[in-house]
Amino acid sequence: MNQHAKVDIRHSTCPHDCPSACALDIEVIDGHSIGRVRGSKLQTYTAGVVCAKVARYAERIHHPDRLLHPMRRTGPKGSGQFARISWDEALDEIAARFDQAEREFGAESVWPYYYAGTMGLVMRDGINRLSHVKKYSRFYSTICANIARVGFAIGTGKIAGVDPREMGVSDLVVIWGTNPVNTQVNVMTHASRARKERGAKIAAIDIYNNDTMKQADIKIILRPGTDGAFACGVMHALFREGYADRAYMDRYTDCPDELEAHLAMRTPEWASRISGVPVEEIEAFARLVGQTKRTFFRLGYGFTRSRNGAAQMHAALCIPAVTGAWQYEGGGAFFNNAGIWNFDESIIEGHDAIDRTTRWLDQSKIGRILTGDADALKGGGPVKAMLIQNTNPVTVAPEQALVRQGFARDDLFVAVHEQFMTETAAMADIVLPATMFMEHDDLYYGGGHQHISVGAKLIDPPGECRSNHEVLQGLGRRLNAVHPGFEMTPRELIDATLKKSGHGDIETLEADLWRDIQPDFRTSHYLDGFAHADRQFHFKADWANPPWGNPGLGPWAEMPSLPDHWTIIEEADEKHPFRLATSPSRSYLNTSFNETPGSQAREGMPSVMMHPEDAASLSIADGDAVTLGNMRGETTLTVKLFDGLRRGVLIAESIHPNKAHIGGRGINMLTGAEAVAPVGGAAFHDNKVWVRKAAPAA
């Protein structure tokens, strides 16, 4: 008689680098494998919806190519030649090499490097505890959100906004600088609810006719890096046509009269010449926003990928302050809720051990750092040893030519803790197998919403996989890194962090499943004043003194104080006549899911979208192989003719592995690592390139 498998439904939170942090219902089969993954209907933001790549998570967690055992490199770097070793051998060797680097070159020659392969606080941020206790080089996180965060906070005084669920009661949802169909599916859940229940309109503002724009009622296609000009043209029309709420501005903003005078010359005609958006579209959008009190601006991470992104975010954010939309339910703006969590990660990160004289190395400049650039090294000695968790810099970091050169150094020791043999792991000396989120305990928050949660361990990991915390514990013992955090279990760290943060204890949060900590309506809408000391929204940005971040990086002194088009972007020129953006694809998340069959099948091979008229001028046909290049490097991929973008603009939805590109050079060969003002970042969507038809393969 056949026995049916026992299927339990367990709860967790998606850990990947996505603002949605979806609440999940997971089928656990016979206690040791998973089946279907669904969005939880119990959590009001996820609302039963999850993206397709996470819905098929079983193909990732049970993938036959998962790393299962520690390995030591036996061939040249990048050869893929490794031999299995024990955990004790692996950790002993890593500790010995770290100690050797410290003896010969100082503690700062060791650089633990990580990012957001998991957003769980214990497994993501615990590596900082090792850096702090051992006085290794510290890690300055710049590769993702800094630029947009500071652009939002410079206006409001805080990285927090309207409850994102209020999109569902809005009359106009403006989705600007994000493609949530690809990247934050729950945004569309709530926007679509408003359209269905209230007859609301959805407006999408972006640089190409992406999957979100295809679902929108109003579509605004800009040239890359021109959002500020478009915003100024809209605000000019709002003032001119009498849609500016002067009573609101007099009470809640710093300098409305100065803003109006500043915008007098920034007409829709001026904005059109810069942005490529026809004048009539600018004025129609302004009229719609002005007439719709409940307008919700959902601002996204696209702003954080441009050299002028902070100024652009601020300019877009000024529009609902001009119209007074913040006063109304379903009105105002939202980008991220980083300002509401108030997590005290002092035990997880070892804050008591921080030595602020220890150098702080810029994540985005890893190529320059590993190739000995004195400025990137902050005038100090070379990096000689690294531990890498939760990231894949040999594919995702800017200036890939330098990154690859740096990782190829024979005198650089690298240990990589990973789930698959990524292109970074292939360059390592020691590779360690890592758990996935259902195989360990962690603590999560939703950057795009207002819930915190515990993600409990649901199944045992395969093979000899260990969690990030277990690796840090093992290294801590061998390196004489003494701190209470190394002696605690993940659950103990979660419990202590929740208590120190005023969020109760782990048992209570687990019983709640997910806890909603959205501030009340008046606070979320800043009806008692914004978060600056003067309680006003700032049209005039003080970039020298942002409320968040570390000013002084990039040409911050040149930034416009009032909303404007800042011309710092990498403009096309005679030698590089195209502007390239590497926008996120639907089935990959950075390089997570690169290995899963469902994602690979949907994304296919690397390609670049090109306007048919641009292609015709270069005698390029659909499907042709082309090489894109600039002063940093070259990459080769195939063309898809697409008229849903402005002439002179190219879109390469990413990130594919380098090896998937013709010739093995990935899209980030073209991306620069210059620090973006005012607090650093990487301008992934801000590259000028030339295009040539590739020679046929021999």
mmCIF file of all heavy atoms in Angstrom, residues 168-212:
data_model
loop_
_atom_site.group_PDB
_atom_site.id
_atom_site.type_symbol
_atom_site.label_atom_id
_atom_site.label_comp_id
_atom_site.label_asym_id
_atom_site.label_seq_id
_atom_site.Cartn_x
_atom_site.Cartn_y
_atom_site.Cartn_z
ATOM 1 N N GLY A 168 -3.344 51.113 -2.508
ATOM 2 C CA GLY A 168 -4.639 50.501 -2.791
ATOM 3 C C GLY A 168 -5.818 51.433 -2.628
ATOM 4 O O GLY A 168 -6.926 51.111 -3.085
ATOM 5 N N VAL A 169 -5.637 52.585 -1.957
ATOM 6 C CA VAL A 169 -6.730 53.549 -1.809
ATOM 7 C C VAL A 169 -6.373 54.870 -2.489
ATOM 8 O O VAL A 169 -6.954 55.911 -2.184
ATOM 9 C CB VAL A 169 -7.088 53.776 -0.324
ATOM 10 C CG1 VAL A 169 -7.650 52.494 0.271
ATOM 11 C CG2 VAL A 169 -5.886 54.261 0.485
ATOM 12 N N SER A 170 -5.437 54.825 -3.408
ATOM 13 C CA SER A 170 -5.038 56.012 -4.155
ATOM 14 C C SER A 170 -5.910 56.176 -5.401
ATOM 15 O O SER A 170 -6.548 55.215 -5.862
ATOM 16 C CB SER A 170 -3.567 55.893 -4.555
ATOM 17 O OG SER A 170 -3.148 56.995 -5.317
ATOM 18 N N ASP A 171 -5.933 57.384 -5.930
ATOM 19 C CA ASP A 171 -6.618 57.628 -7.202
ATOM 20 C C ASP A 171 -5.640 57.726 -8.371
ATOM 21 O O ASP A 171 -6.061 57.704 -9.529
ATOM 22 C CB ASP A 171 -7.441 58.919 -7.114
ATOM 23 C CG ASP A 171 -8.596 58.782 -6.137
ATOM 24 O OD1 ASP A 171 -9.177 57.680 -6.058
ATOM 25 O OD2 ASP A 171 -8.904 59.767 -5.435
ATOM 26 N N LEU A 172 -4.358 57.860 -8.053
ATOM 27 C CA LEU A 172 -3.306 57.877 -9.072
ATOM 28 C C LEU A 172 -2.035 57.349 -8.428
ATOM 29 O O LEU A 172 -1.540 57.925 -7.458
ATOM 30 C CB LEU A 172 -3.074 59.291 -9.603
ATOM 31 C CG LEU A 172 -1.873 59.479 -10.553
ATOM 32 C CD1 LEU A 172 -2.031 58.634 -11.818
ATOM 33 C CD2 LEU A 172 -1.689 60.953 -10.900
ATOM 34 N N VAL A 173 -1.530 56.247 -8.936
ATOM 35 C CA VAL A 173 -0.278 55.668 -8.447
ATOM 36 C C VAL A 173 0.801 55.936 -9.490
ATOM 37 O O VAL A 173 0.702 55.474 -10.629
ATOM 38 C CB VAL A 173 -0.410 54.158 -8.182
ATOM 39 C CG1 VAL A 173 0.918 53.588 -7.674
ATOM 40 C CG2 VAL A 173 -1.520 53.880 -7.184
ATOM 41 N N VAL A 174 1.809 56.704 -9.098
ATOM 42 C CA VAL A 174 2.920 57.038 -9.985
ATOM 43 C C VAL A 174 4.094 56.138 -9.629
ATOM 44 O O VAL A 174 4.665 56.254 -8.538
ATOM 45 C CB VAL A 174 3.320 58.522 -9.853
ATOM 46 C CG1 VAL A 174 4.510 58.831 -10.763
ATOM 47 C CG2 VAL A 174 2.139 59.426 -10.181
ATOM 48 N N ILE A 175 4.430 55.237 -10.530
ATOM 49 C CA ILE A 175 5.539 54.296 -10.326
ATOM 50 C C ILE A 175 6.726 54.837 -11.113
ATOM 51 O O ILE A 175 6.721 54.843 -12.344
ATOM 52 C CB ILE A 175 5.143 52.881 -10.795
ATOM 53 C CG1 ILE A 175 3.952 52.369 -9.974
ATOM 54 C CG2 ILE A 175 6.325 51.930 -10.682
ATOM 55 C CD1 ILE A 175 3.362 51.077 -10.488
ATOM 56 N N TRP A 176 7.724 55.304 -10.384
ATOM 57 C CA TRP A 176 8.785 56.102 -11.004
ATOM 58 C C TRP A 176 10.146 55.531 -10.597
ATOM 59 O O TRP A 176 10.473 55.423 -9.424
ATOM 60 C CB TRP A 176 8.655 57.551 -10.522
ATOM 61 C CG TRP A 176 9.467 58.575 -11.259
ATOM 62 C CD1 TRP A 176 10.565 58.381 -12.056
ATOM 63 C CD2 TRP A 176 9.236 59.985 -11.263
ATOM 64 N NE1 TRP A 176 11.032 59.559 -12.556
ATOM 65 C CE2 TRP A 176 10.231 60.571 -12.077
ATOM 66 C CE3 TRP A 176 8.305 60.808 -10.638
ATOM 67 C CZ2 TRP A 176 10.312 61.951 -12.281
ATOM 68 C CZ3 TRP A 176 8.381 62.171 -10.846
ATOM 69 C CH2 TRP A 176 9.370 62.740 -11.663
ATOM 70 N N GLY A 177 10.931 55.156 -11.597
ATOM 71 C CA GLY A 177 12.280 54.668 -11.316
ATOM 72 C C GLY A 177 12.316 53.252 -10.782
ATOM 73 O O GLY A 177 13.275 52.849 -10.131
ATOM 74 N N THR A 178 11.288 52.478 -11.059
ATOM 75 C CA THR A 178 11.271 51.070 -10.667
ATOM 76 C C THR A 178 10.371 50.307 -11.633
ATOM 77 O O THR A 178 9.419 50.871 -12.178
ATOM 78 C CB THR A 178 10.772 50.890 -9.221
ATOM 79 O OG1 THR A 178 10.783 49.497 -8.879
ATOM 80 C CG2 THR A 178 9.368 51.440 -9.021
ATOM 81 N N ASN A 179 10.688 49.047 -11.824
ATOM 82 C CA ASN A 179 9.938 48.159 -12.710
ATOM 83 C C ASN A 179 9.407 47.010 -11.857
ATOM 84 O O ASN A 179 9.941 45.901 -11.896
ATOM 85 C CB ASN A 179 10.859 47.656 -13.826
ATOM 86 C CG ASN A 179 10.169 46.699 -14.790
ATOM 87 O OD1 ASN A 179 8.949 46.527 -14.753
ATOM 88 N ND2 ASN A 179 10.956 46.055 -15.637
ATOM 89 N N PRO A 180 8.377 47.259 -11.044
ATOM 90 C CA PRO A 180 7.978 46.268 -10.043
ATOM 91 C C PRO A 180 7.468 44.954 -10.613
ATOM 92 O O PRO A 180 7.503 43.947 -9.895
ATOM 93 C CB PRO A 180 6.896 46.996 -9.236
ATOM 94 C CG PRO A 180 6.418 48.100 -10.108
ATOM 95 C CD PRO A 180 7.605 48.505 -10.925
ATOM 96 N N VAL A 181 6.990 44.923 -11.836
ATOM 97 C CA VAL A 181 6.626 43.631 -12.424
ATOM 98 C C VAL A 181 7.846 42.707 -12.413
ATOM 99 O O VAL A 181 7.736 41.504 -12.195
ATOM 100 C CB VAL A 181 6.072 43.811 -13.848
ATOM 101 C CG1 VAL A 181 5.955 42.477 -14.556
ATOM 102 C CG2 VAL A 181 4.706 44.500 -13.786
ATOM 103 N N ASN A 182 9.040 43.277 -12.622
ATOM 104 C CA ASN A 182 10.272 42.493 -12.583
ATOM 105 C C ASN A 182 10.841 42.364 -11.181
ATOM 106 O O ASN A 182 11.471 41.353 -10.855
ATOM 107 C CB ASN A 182 11.343 43.127 -13.478
ATOM 108 C CG ASN A 182 11.144 42.819 -14.944
ATOM 109 O OD1 ASN A 182 10.072 42.385 -15.358
ATOM 110 N ND2 ASN A 182 12.174 43.034 -15.740
ATOM 111 N N THR A 183 10.685 43.405 -10.356
ATOM 112 C CA THR A 183 11.500 43.485 -9.145
ATOM 113 C C THR A 183 10.737 43.569 -7.833
ATOM 114 O O THR A 183 11.313 43.259 -6.792
ATOM 115 C CB THR A 183 12.429 44.713 -9.223
ATOM 116 O OG1 THR A 183 11.623 45.901 -9.288
ATOM 117 C CG2 THR A 183 13.335 44.656 -10.441
ATOM 118 N N GLN A 184 9.493 44.010 -7.813
ATOM 119 C CA GLN A 184 8.729 44.168 -6.566
ATOM 120 C C GLN A 184 7.259 43.910 -6.868
ATOM 121 O O GLN A 184 6.444 44.833 -6.880
ATOM 122 C CB GLN A 184 8.883 45.583 -6.000
ATOM 123 C CG GLN A 184 10.295 46.018 -5.706
ATOM 124 C CD GLN A 184 10.333 47.458 -5.222
ATOM 125 O OE1 GLN A 184 9.699 47.807 -4.237
ATOM 126 N NE2 GLN A 184 11.068 48.309 -5.917
ATOM 127 N N VAL A 185 6.929 42.669 -7.100
ATOM 128 C CA VAL A 185 5.621 42.326 -7.653
ATOM 129 C C VAL A 185 4.477 42.851 -6.793
ATOM 130 O O VAL A 185 3.394 43.180 -7.302
ATOM 131 C CB VAL A 185 5.522 40.797 -7.850
ATOM 132 C CG1 VAL A 185 5.612 40.054 -6.544
ATOM 133 C CG2 VAL A 185 4.258 40.434 -8.607
ATOM 134 N N ASN A 186 4.691 42.992 -5.478
ATOM 135 C CA ASN A 186 3.593 43.406 -4.602
ATOM 136 C C ASN A 186 3.176 44.850 -4.804
ATOM 137 O O ASN A 186 2.052 45.233 -4.463
ATOM 138 C CB ASN A 186 3.975 43.168 -3.145
ATOM 139 C CG ASN A 186 4.503 41.765 -2.932
ATOM 140 O OD1 ASN A 186 5.711 41.560 -2.958
ATOM 141 N ND2 ASN A 186 3.620 40.812 -2.779
ATOM 142 N N VAL A 187 4.076 45.682 -5.341
ATOM 143 C CA VAL A 187 3.669 47.044 -5.699
ATOM 144 C C VAL A 187 2.499 46.987 -6.673
ATOM 145 O O VAL A 187 1.518 47.735 -6.541
ATOM 146 C CB VAL A 187 4.856 47.818 -6.317
ATOM 147 C CG1 VAL A 187 4.392 49.144 -6.925
ATOM 148 C CG2 VAL A 187 5.931 48.071 -5.263
ATOM 149 N N MET A 188 2.591 46.095 -7.637
ATOM 150 C CA MET A 188 1.525 45.973 -8.625
ATOM 151 C C MET A 188 0.240 45.424 -8.007
ATOM 152 O O MET A 188 -0.862 45.760 -8.440
ATOM 153 C CB MET A 188 1.974 45.092 -9.788
ATOM 154 C CG MET A 188 3.186 45.629 -10.533
ATOM 155 S SD MET A 188 2.986 47.341 -11.096
ATOM 156 C CE MET A 188 1.654 47.162 -12.284
ATOM 157 N N THR A 189 0.377 44.575 -6.983
ATOM 158 C CA THR A 189 -0.810 44.061 -6.297
ATOM 159 C C THR A 189 -1.663 45.204 -5.768
ATOM 160 O O THR A 189 -2.879 45.257 -5.983
ATOM 161 C CB THR A 189 -0.392 43.149 -5.127
ATOM 162 O OG1 THR A 189 0.350 42.037 -5.625
ATOM 163 C CG2 THR A 189 -1.614 42.649 -4.360
ATOM 164 N N HIS A 190 -1.021 46.143 -5.076
ATOM 165 C CA HIS A 190 -1.763 47.227 -4.437
ATOM 166 C C HIS A 190 -2.179 48.301 -5.441
ATOM 167 O O HIS A 190 -3.277 48.858 -5.337
ATOM 168 C CB HIS A 190 -0.938 47.799 -3.296
ATOM 169 C CG HIS A 190 -0.675 46.799 -2.205
ATOM 170 N ND1 HIS A 190 -1.621 46.459 -1.271
ATOM 171 C CD2 HIS A 190 0.407 46.019 -1.945
ATOM 172 C CE1 HIS A 190 -1.125 45.532 -0.459
ATOM 173 N NE2 HIS A 190 0.107 45.251 -0.848
ATOM 174 N N ALA A 191 -1.337 48.589 -6.416
ATOM 175 C CA ALA A 191 -1.718 49.559 -7.447
ATOM 176 C C ALA A 191 -2.894 49.032 -8.269
ATOM 177 O O ALA A 191 -3.827 49.779 -8.602
ATOM 178 C CB ALA A 191 -0.526 49.867 -8.341
ATOM 179 N N SER A 192 -2.852 47.751 -8.599
ATOM 180 C CA SER A 192 -3.937 47.158 -9.389
ATOM 181 C C SER A 192 -5.240 47.115 -8.601
ATOM 182 O O SER A 192 -6.337 47.254 -9.171
ATOM 183 C CB SER A 192 -3.546 45.748 -9.842
ATOM 184 O OG SER A 192 -2.414 45.795 -10.677
ATOM 185 N N ARG A 193 -5.124 46.931 -7.288
ATOM 186 C CA ARG A 193 -6.326 46.966 -6.446
ATOM 187 C C ARG A 193 -6.992 48.337 -6.533
ATOM 188 O O ARG A 193 -8.223 48.453 -6.648
ATOM 189 C CB ARG A 193 -5.938 46.651 -5.001
ATOM 190 C CG ARG A 193 -7.091 46.792 -4.020
ATOM 191 C CD ARG A 193 -6.597 46.724 -2.581
ATOM 192 N NE ARG A 193 -7.538 47.387 -1.681
ATOM 193 C CZ ARG A 193 -7.223 47.913 -0.519
ATOM 194 N NH1 ARG A 193 -5.965 47.880 -0.109
ATOM 195 N NH2 ARG A 193 -8.137 48.491 0.232
ATOM 196 N N ALA A 194 -6.178 49.408 -6.498
ATOM 197 C CA ALA A 194 -6.745 50.755 -6.599
ATOM 198 C C ALA A 194 -7.438 50.958 -7.936
ATOM 199 O O ALA A 194 -8.507 51.586 -8.013
ATOM 200 C CB ALA A 194 -5.636 51.791 -6.415
ATOM 201 N N ARG A 195 -6.835 50.434 -8.987
ATOM 202 C CA ARG A 195 -7.461 50.582 -10.303
ATOM 203 C C ARG A 195 -8.777 49.811 -10.370
ATOM 204 O O ARG A 195 -9.781 50.313 -10.901
ATOM 205 C CB ARG A 195 -6.500 50.098 -11.401
ATOM 206 C CG ARG A 195 -7.098 50.223 -12.795
ATOM 207 C CD ARG A 195 -6.030 50.256 -13.869
ATOM 208 N NE ARG A 195 -5.176 49.095 -13.859
ATOM 209 C CZ ARG A 195 -4.070 48.967 -14.618
ATOM 210 N NH1 ARG A 195 -3.695 49.956 -15.419
ATOM 211 N NH2 ARG A 195 -3.341 47.885 -14.565
ATOM 212 N N LYS A 196 -8.791 48.600 -9.816
ATOM 213 C CA LYS A 196 -9.989 47.761 -9.878
ATOM 214 C C LYS A 196 -11.112 48.316 -9.005
ATOM 215 O O LYS A 196 -12.281 48.353 -9.417
ATOM 216 C CB LYS A 196 -9.636 46.337 -9.440
ATOM 217 C CG LYS A 196 -10.816 45.373 -9.455
ATOM 218 C CD LYS A 196 -10.378 43.975 -9.030
ATOM 219 C CE LYS A 196 -11.561 43.016 -9.026
ATOM 220 N NZ LYS A 196 -11.140 41.644 -8.601
ATOM 221 N N GLU A 197 -10.764 48.753 -7.786
ATOM 222 C CA GLU A 197 -11.792 49.134 -6.820
ATOM 223 C C GLU A 197 -12.175 50.608 -6.888
ATOM 224 O O GLU A 197 -13.279 50.978 -6.504
ATOM 225 C CB GLU A 197 -11.313 48.795 -5.398
ATOM 226 C CG GLU A 197 -11.130 47.299 -5.170
ATOM 227 C CD GLU A 197 -10.658 46.971 -3.759
ATOM 228 O OE1 GLU A 197 -10.494 47.912 -2.938
ATOM 229 O OE2 GLU A 197 -10.463 45.771 -3.474
ATOM 230 N N ARG A 198 -11.224 51.467 -7.373
ATOM 231 C CA ARG A 198 -11.478 52.906 -7.325
ATOM 232 C C ARG A 198 -11.440 53.564 -8.696
ATOM 233 O O ARG A 198 -11.683 54.766 -8.819
ATOM 234 C CB ARG A 198 -10.432 53.591 -6.430
ATOM 235 C CG ARG A 198 -10.419 53.110 -5.000
ATOM 236 C CD ARG A 198 -9.303 53.805 -4.213
ATOM 237 N NE ARG A 198 -9.449 55.243 -4.232
ATOM 238 C CZ ARG A 198 -10.232 55.932 -3.414
ATOM 239 N NH1 ARG A 198 -10.951 55.292 -2.508
ATOM 240 N NH2 ARG A 198 -10.311 57.243 -3.484
ATOM 241 N N GLY A 199 -11.096 52.782 -9.708
ATOM 242 C CA GLY A 199 -10.919 53.386 -11.023
ATOM 243 C C GLY A 199 -9.666 54.233 -11.100
ATOM 244 O O GLY A 199 -9.563 55.147 -11.940
ATOM 245 N N ALA A 200 -8.692 53.951 -10.222
ATOM 246 C CA ALA A 200 -7.444 54.720 -10.190
ATOM 247 C C ALA A 200 -6.654 54.515 -11.469
ATOM 248 O O ALA A 200 -6.773 53.492 -12.155
ATOM 249 C CB ALA A 200 -6.609 54.312 -8.980
ATOM 250 N N LYS A 201 -5.808 55.497 -11.765
ATOM 251 C CA LYS A 201 -4.885 55.390 -12.885
ATOM 252 C C LYS A 201 -3.504 54.978 -12.363
ATOM 253 O O LYS A 201 -3.111 55.335 -11.247
ATOM 254 C CB LYS A 201 -4.758 56.725 -13.618
ATOM 255 C CG LYS A 201 -6.061 57.251 -14.204
ATOM 256 C CD LYS A 201 -6.546 56.380 -15.346
ATOM 257 C CE LYS A 201 -7.781 56.996 -16.006
ATOM 258 N NZ LYS A 201 -8.321 56.123 -17.087
ATOM 259 N N ILE A 202 -2.781 54.246 -13.177
ATOM 260 C CA ILE A 202 -1.390 53.908 -12.897
ATOM 261 C C ILE A 202 -0.529 54.612 -13.935
ATOM 262 O O ILE A 202 -0.734 54.445 -15.140
ATOM 263 C CB ILE A 202 -1.138 52.392 -12.945
ATOM 264 C CG1 ILE A 202 -1.980 51.678 -11.878
ATOM 265 C CG2 ILE A 202 0.351 52.083 -12.757
ATOM 266 C CD1 ILE A 202 -1.896 50.159 -11.945
ATOM 267 N N ALA A 203 0.422 55.407 -13.452
ATOM 268 C CA ALA A 203 1.382 56.076 -14.331
ATOM 269 C C ALA A 203 2.753 55.469 -14.093
ATOM 270 O O ALA A 203 3.153 55.267 -12.941
ATOM 271 C CB ALA A 203 1.417 57.576 -14.065
ATOM 272 N N ALA A 204 3.471 55.166 -15.160
ATOM 273 C CA ALA A 204 4.824 54.622 -15.058
ATOM 274 C C ALA A 204 5.793 55.578 -15.738
ATOM 275 O O ALA A 204 5.561 56.004 -16.877
ATOM 276 C CB ALA A 204 4.905 53.243 -15.694
ATOM 277 N N ILE A 205 6.858 55.919 -15.028
ATOM 278 C CA ILE A 205 7.897 56.801 -15.558
ATOM 279 C C ILE A 205 9.203 56.026 -15.520
ATOM 280 O O ILE A 205 9.681 55.624 -14.448
ATOM 281 C CB ILE A 205 8.019 58.092 -14.719
ATOM 282 C CG1 ILE A 205 6.668 58.804 -14.644
ATOM 283 C CG2 ILE A 205 9.091 59.008 -15.299
ATOM 284 C CD1 ILE A 205 6.657 59.999 -13.703
ATOM 285 N N ASP A 206 9.787 55.797 -16.684
ATOM 286 C CA ASP A 206 10.998 54.997 -16.755
ATOM 287 C C ASP A 206 11.703 55.296 -18.065
ATOM 288 O O ASP A 206 11.263 56.169 -18.831
ATOM 289 C CB ASP A 206 10.676 53.505 -16.623
ATOM 290 C CG ASP A 206 11.752 52.726 -15.892
ATOM 291 O OD1 ASP A 206 12.949 52.894 -16.227
ATOM 292 O OD2 ASP A 206 11.407 51.941 -14.987
ATOM 293 N N ILE A 207 12.761 54.543 -18.351
ATOM 294 C CA ILE A 207 13.566 54.828 -19.536
ATOM 295 C C ILE A 207 13.272 53.887 -20.692
ATOM 296 O O ILE A 207 13.857 54.036 -21.755
ATOM 297 C CB ILE A 207 15.070 54.820 -19.201
ATOM 298 C CG1 ILE A 207 15.503 53.464 -18.628
ATOM 299 C CG2 ILE A 207 15.389 55.948 -18.219
ATOM 300 C CD1 ILE A 207 17.001 53.352 -18.410
ATOM 301 N N TYR A 208 12.351 52.929 -20.488
ATOM 302 C CA TYR A 208 11.934 52.077 -21.606
ATOM 303 C C TYR A 208 10.576 51.467 -21.304
ATOM 304 O O TYR A 208 10.125 51.459 -20.151
ATOM 305 C CB TYR A 208 12.980 50.996 -21.927
ATOM 306 C CG TYR A 208 13.146 49.887 -20.906
ATOM 307 C CD1 TYR A 208 12.859 48.564 -21.241
ATOM 308 C CD2 TYR A 208 13.646 50.129 -19.631
ATOM 309 C CE1 TYR A 208 13.049 47.530 -20.340
ATOM 310 C CE2 TYR A 208 13.837 49.110 -18.725
ATOM 311 C CZ TYR A 208 13.536 47.805 -19.079
ATOM 312 O OH TYR A 208 13.727 46.773 -18.184
ATOM 313 N N ASN A 209 9.945 50.969 -22.318
ATOM 314 C CA ASN A 209 8.605 50.397 -22.202
ATOM 315 C C ASN A 209 8.715 48.989 -21.624
ATOM 316 O O ASN A 209 8.595 47.992 -22.321
ATOM 317 C CB ASN A 209 7.921 50.384 -23.576
ATOM 318 C CG ASN A 209 6.456 49.994 -23.483
ATOM 319 O OD1 ASN A 209 5.855 50.057 -22.422
ATOM 320 N ND2 ASN A 209 5.882 49.574 -24.602
ATOM 321 N N ASN A 210 8.942 48.942 -20.311
ATOM 322 C CA ASN A 210 9.168 47.666 -19.647
ATOM 323 C C ASN A 210 7.843 47.010 -19.273
ATOM 324 O O ASN A 210 6.762 47.509 -19.598
ATOM 325 C CB ASN A 210 10.073 47.873 -18.427
ATOM 326 C CG ASN A 210 9.529 48.934 -17.479
ATOM 327 O OD1 ASN A 210 8.331 49.006 -17.230
ATOM 328 N ND2 ASN A 210 10.423 49.756 -16.941
ATOM 329 N N ASP A 211 7.933 45.887 -18.550
ATOM 330 C CA ASP A 211 6.725 45.121 -18.258
ATOM 331 C C ASP A 211 5.751 45.876 -17.355
ATOM 332 O O ASP A 211 4.540 45.661 -17.419
ATOM 333 C CB ASP A 211 7.104 43.783 -17.622
ATOM 334 C CG ASP A 211 7.702 42.810 -18.628
ATOM 335 O OD1 ASP A 211 7.580 43.072 -19.841
ATOM 336 O OD2 ASP A 211 8.302 41.802 -18.211
ATOM 337 N N THR A 212 6.271 46.760 -16.496
ATOM 338 C CA THR A 212 5.378 47.583 -15.677
ATOM 339 C C THR A 212 4.669 48.621 -16.536
ATOM 340 O O THR A 212 3.452 48.823 -16.428
ATOM 341 C CB THR A 212 6.173 48.277 -14.563
ATOM 342 O OG1 THR A 212 6.757 47.277 -13.722
ATOM 343 C CG2 THR A 212 5.281 49.185 -13.735
#
